[in-house]
Amino acid sequence: PMEHPSANIMHAEHKYLNLHTQREVKDTFANSCKLLKGLGIDFYVAMMVGFAQETNDTLNLVREYGRFALDQGAEFVTFFYLKPFPGTPDFRHYHNVPSERRFENAPEYWGLGTPVLKPDAMTIEQLQDKVEEISLEVNGRTNRIPGSTSAQYRNSAKDGV
């Protein structure tokens, strides 16, 4: 992950670096990608979506960052859904999880590839449809959380799986 403090590169919440502007975030990200590529390390980018405050506008920014990640050398971008687990800041939104998707009723929804939290401005289905649309645009395929290796993910994309 590109969030380890000893690597002096970014974390999504900027806990290790004091980044104030989107330009600083993008420059730091681009430098991190350049470092990885320079070392011959293939990488993918995982972007969390599905926050309570998610909107079409925030998802359009996700699309832009996904394209930016590919431009910086990422093999692909995958999108995973926020899970409001106990002890996390987003657990305060657990009441927005429909009962049929709550962990105690349907733990099968709590893998990273399925949304459970209903954003304030859209339905879960609208969120999932939008993320699929973004993945098709950015990656040329539907969204999937990678398995054990990124090579499997890339090869399945080439095979149309």
Side-chain angles (χ1 to χ4, degrees):
M2 291 184 19
E3 60 184 61
H4 198 280
S6 67
N8 194 30
I9 49 183
M10 72 184 291
H11 179 275
E13 295 175 5
H14 317 303
K15 358 183 198 188
Y16 306 123
L17 296 178
N18 193 14
L19 305 175
H20 297 286
T21 67
Q22 287 302 308
R23 181 76 265 150
E24 289 175 313
V25 171
K26 281 189 166 185
D27 288 348
T28 303
F29 180 80
N31 289 336
S32 300
C33 294
K34 185 177 179 181
L35 171 72
L36 293 170
K37 291 307 266 186
L39 293 170
I41 299 171
D42 290 336
F43 64 96
Y44 71 92
V45 172
M47 299 178 74
M48 186 182 292
V49 295
F51 293 89
Q53 60 273 33
E54 202 79 74
T55 65
N56 280 320
D57 289 341
T58 62
L59 289 170
N60 287 334
L61 291 173
V62 165
R63 175 189 287 115
E64 288 177 32
Y65 268 90
R67 288 179 181 150
F68 180 72
L70 291 181
D71 290 345
Q72 301 309 307
E75 297 290 314
F76 59 89
V77 179
T78 189
F79 307 95
F80 67 100
Y81 294 96
L82 170 101
K83 301 298 186 222
F85 287 114
T88 65
D90 287 295
F91 188 66
R92 69 186 184 279
H93 300 294
Y94 191 72
H95 67 278
N96 287 337
V97 175
S99 63
E100 69 273 7
R101 290 184 183 238
R102 290 189 173 214
F103 184 79
E104 60 271 20
N105 299 329
E108 67 273 13
Y109 280 107
W110 285 72
L112 296 176
T114 53
V116 296
L117 183 63
K118 183 204 166 304
D120 296 335
M122 61 179 56
T123 67
I124 288 177
E125 292 76 17
Q126 289 169 325
L127 169 66
Q128 197 163 12
D129 289 347
K130 185 76 170 184
V131 170
E132 289 299 321
E133 172 190 309
I134 292 168
S135 185
L136 281 169
E137 286 182 34
V138 171
N139 296 307
R141 62 167 301 133
T142 58
N143 188 48
R144 294 205 193 136
I145 303 299
S148 58
T149 68
S150 59
Q152 288 174 331
Y153 188 89
R154 287 191 309 275
N155 290 338
S156 66
K158 289 176 190 169
D159 296 337
V161 177

